[in-house]
Amino acid sequence: MAACVDAGLPTSAIDGIVRADYDYVAHNDLVEAARPAHLTYWGVCGPGGIAPSGLIGQAVGAIMSGQATTVPRISVPLNGRTGVRYGAPEVGARVGGHNTYDEFYSPYGLVSAAQRCTRIMARRHSIEFGTTAEDLGAIAIACRNGPMRIRPRRCTASP
């Protein structure tokens, strides 16, 4: 609502809505709050880190294709002041609900998208090729030190 006021537009000018899939506010609740005169486009984007640019892309696409004329990117901030910091473990984490699978990830320390992807892939690589934490650490250090001059160490899989 404040964005419409800042832009000098009535909320009735909104004819499209885009939101992130991890936002706790459902699209129908956003429509109820904004009360657009005639909604012609709505979209959802995810996951996590890509959502902001994906939502802007959807809004631009809706406007350029003529599906909508005014599409705010609606996002619920996920930070410590609103009670949730995205990627941080929650004390007494919920089981299910809010379209999450936290009960499958959180007990294993996988509380962010990056952890869910990298830890699982690193573990699989370790199982298949014998890669150690030191091997992965050497890659990270080499990448941070500038031009990539990594001398790969041959990893052998155990039978």
Side-chain angles (χ1 to χ4, degrees):
M1 304 308 157
C4 284
V5 170
D6 288 346
L9 293 170
T11 57
S12 60
I14 296 172
D15 57 358
I17 289 179
V18 293
R19 61 177 280 279
D21 67 352
Y22 57 80
D23 285 346
Y24 293 144
V25 180
H27 63 279
N28 55 312
D29 294 329
L30 294 170
V31 171
E32 180 65 27
R35 298 198 183 271
H38 183 67
L39 191 67
T40 57
Y41 181 87
W42 73 271
V44 178
C45 185
I50 193 65
S53 56
L55 292 171
I56 292 170
Q58 279 194 30
V60 169
I63 292 168
M64 290 181 72
S65 66
Q67 296 178 72
T69 59
T70 306
V71 184
R73 180 185 70 87
I74 298 176
S75 179
V76 176
L78 296 171
N79 61 44
R81 288 171 264 327
T82 56
V84 178
R85 181 169 300 283
Y86 191 68
E90 295 180 40
V91 176
R94 65 186 175 272
V95 175
H98 298 296
N99 297 317
T100 71
Y101 296 99
D102 291 344
E103 66 269 25
F104 300 112
Y105 298 122
S106 297
Y108 304 100
L110 305 173
V111 295
S112 73
Q115 291 170 336
R116 289 178 191 141
C117 294
T118 58
R119 284 189 183 178
I120 292 170
M121 287 188 282
R123 180 69 181 137
R124 187 73 211 163
H125 199 276
S126 176
I127 290 168
E128 288 188 29
F129 302 105
T131 312
T132 67
E134 290 77 19
D135 295 330
L136 297 175
I139 294 169
I141 290 169
C143 290
R144 291 182 188 126
N145 284 339
M148 289 189 57
R149 294 190 178 142
I150 300 173
R151 296 184 137 197
R153 179 177 80 82
R154 185 174 173 93
C155 298
T156 57
S158 51

